[in-house]
Amino acid sequence: MAEPGWYEDPHRGGGRRWWDGQRWSEHAIPPPPTSPPGVVPPPPGAPSGGTAPGGPAGPTFVPAPGDLTPAMRPAATTPSAPGTSRPVTSGAAGGRSSRLLPVLLGLVALIAIGGVVALLLSGDDADDAEAPLATGTVTAGEERSFVVDDGGEWELVVEAPGGLLVIDARGADDFDPVLTLFDGDGREVATNDDRSSQQQERYGGGTFDALIEQEVPAAGSYRIVITGFAGQGGSGQVSFPVVGG
C-alpha cells in the first residue's frame, strides 16, 4: 500500500488527488489549462523543479481494485498542502473553565465560612440553654417567668442572704410545677410539689402550685430547679415573697 501523498488523479486525467494511505480523498488539484501536454504541475508548496510522488521520475501508483468508489468519500482529516502547518488554537471551553475556577473557589470558601459561623452560633445557643441563669442577689418581691419542656427542667442560680427564704412557683394553664432548692455544694435543701392550705392563706396561689419556706444558715449561692409533675411541660412564674426575713 502506497504512503499518503499527492498522486495522479485516476478520476480526472492530468490532475493530482490526495491519497491518505487507504483511499482517495476529495481533495484534488486540477491541471492548469496552460500546461504543455504531458506535464503535470506540482502540488502547492512542492519545491520548484521537483517531481510529485509517483510522477514520471518515480513509480506510478495504481490503486487496488475496488478503491475507486471509496475514494469519493470525505477523508477523516483534511490534509494540508506540503510545506504548510495549521496553527494551534486554544478551545473556548478551556478559557471559560479558567475564568469559572476563581468563582467556584470563592463560592466554596463562602459556604465553608457560613458553616463555621452556623456551628459557632449553634454551639453558643447550646451552651446558653444548658447554663443556669445567674441573677446575682435576689430581693423580696422579685419575679421571674419560666418555661419547662416535656421531661425537662428550668433552673435559676441566685445569691441569697442568710435567714428565711420563700420561693413561690405558680404554673399557668393548669401546669403543676415541682420546686427543688439546692445549696452551693449541690445538696438538696428542700423540695415541694403542692402547697398546704396554711401556705395558701399566707401567700395565695392554688393547691397544685409549689412553695418552699426555708431558713438558710448563711448567705451564699443557691440553685432553684423547677420541673413538671410526671414530666409534663408548661410555664409560669417564680417569685421571692421573703428574702432574709
Side-chain angles (χ1 to χ4, degrees):
M1 189 67 69
E3 295 294 326
W6 293 95
Y7 296 92
E8 184 177 352
D9 192 345
H11 306 290
R12 299 173 61 182
R16 288 282 186 260
R17 186 171 293 275
W18 179 264
W19 173 261
D20 63 7
Q22 296 182 350
R23 60 179 63 83
W24 294 107
S25 75
E26 62 179 349
H27 303 284
I29 302 175
T34 59
S35 298
V39 178
V40 179
S48 60
T51 58
T60 303
F61 173 73
V62 179
D67 281 350
L68 296 181
T69 300
M72 303 310 296
R73 301 182 209 161
T77 58
T78 302
S80 301
T84 61
S85 61
R86 192 171 296 174
V88 179
T89 58
S90 59
R96 286 194 297 270
S97 299
S98 62
R99 290 192 298 270
L100 287 175
L101 182 59
V103 177
L104 294 176
L105 291 176
L107 289 176
V108 171
L110 288 177
I111 293 173
I113 293 173
V116 172
V117 172
L119 181 61
L120 293 176
L121 291 178
S122 62
D124 292 342
D125 293 342
D127 294 340
D128 292 342
E130 294 175 359
L133 176 62
T135 63
T137 303
V138 293
T139 59
E142 287 193 40
E143 183 176 281
R144 300 283 187 275
S145 296
F146 65 81
V147 176
V148 178
D149 295 329
D150 290 338
E153 63 182 27
W154 180 90
E155 63 181 24
L156 182 70
V157 174
V158 299
E159 295 292 331
L164 179 63
L165 178 62
V166 178
I167 308 170
D168 186 350
R170 304 187 186 191
D173 300 326
D174 298 326
F175 175 64
D176 185 1
V178 178
L179 181 61
T180 306
L181 178 65
F182 297 88
D183 63 15
D185 296 327
R187 292 187 295 265
E188 182 178 316
V189 177
T191 185
N192 180 264
D193 180 10
D194 302 326
R195 67 185 63 196
S196 65
S197 57
Q198 291 83 3
Q199 289 175 330
Q200 292 183 57
E201 293 177 0
R202 188 178 307 142
Y203 301 104
T207 302
F208 296 107
D209 292 329
L211 188 139
I212 289 178
E213 294 178 283
Q214 182 65 40
E215 288 284 343
V216 293
S221 177
Y222 293 88
R223 185 164 63 100
I224 300 165
V225 176
I226 299 176
T227 58
F229 179 76
Q232 71 174 138
S235 61
Q237 292 78 36
V238 57
S239 61
F240 303 87
V242 181
V243 177

